[in-house]
């Protein structure tokens, strides 16, 4: 979407808890990368992607929003 921007240039390492819903920012405007802070509404950009994991894990979440495997970094930021 044309109102989306890059939210960053490198992934953020996150400790994810099992069975908890996370809202991954898809529009890049959030100041709380890699998570949504609601700014997509005023920016008329895309809403967050809600996801959860089945077990506690450490993950590198994408901030550039170019990943082909959201919400995870796949190296596309380079
Ligand atoms: S931060 Fe987006 S692919 Fe790595």
């Amino acid at each position: 979407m044309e109102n989306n921007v890059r939210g960053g240039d490198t992934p953020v390492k996150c400790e994810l808890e099992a069975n908890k819903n996370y809202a991954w920012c898809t529009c890049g405007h959030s100041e709380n990368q890699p998570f949504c802070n609601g700014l997509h509404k005023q920016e008329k950009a895309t809403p967050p992607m809600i996801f959860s994991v089945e077990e506690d894990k450490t993950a590198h979440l994408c901030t550039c929003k170019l990943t082909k495997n959201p919400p995870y970094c796949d190296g596309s930021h380079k």
Side-chain angles (χ1 to χ4, degrees):
M1 185 191 241
E2 65 186 44
N3 291 329
N4 287 1
V5 296
R6 278 180 84 117
D9 295 321
T10 54
V12 176
K13 186 177 176 186
C14 297
E15 308 292 337
L16 301 175
E17 291 174 39
N19 304 315
K20 183 175 163 183
N21 281 341
Y22 292 97
W24 179 69
C25 168
T26 65
C27 76
H29 290 286
S30 173
E31 290 153 358
N32 185 35
Q33 293 297 329
F35 301 110
C36 176
N37 74 347
L39 271 181
H40 60 277
K41 291 182 198 136
Q42 89 183 41
E43 300 292 345
K44 298 188 175 22
T46 54
M49 184 186 102
I50 309 301
F51 76 100
S52 61
V53 294
E54 290 180 358
E55 41 190 53
D56 290 3
K57 67 172 175 177
T58 302
H60 290 81
L61 300 186
C62 170
T63 63
C64 77
K65 315 307 174 188
L66 299 175
T67 180
K68 303 264 187 315
N69 183 34
Y72 304 105
C73 173
D74 70 353
S76 295
H77 57 270
K78 296 197 181 107

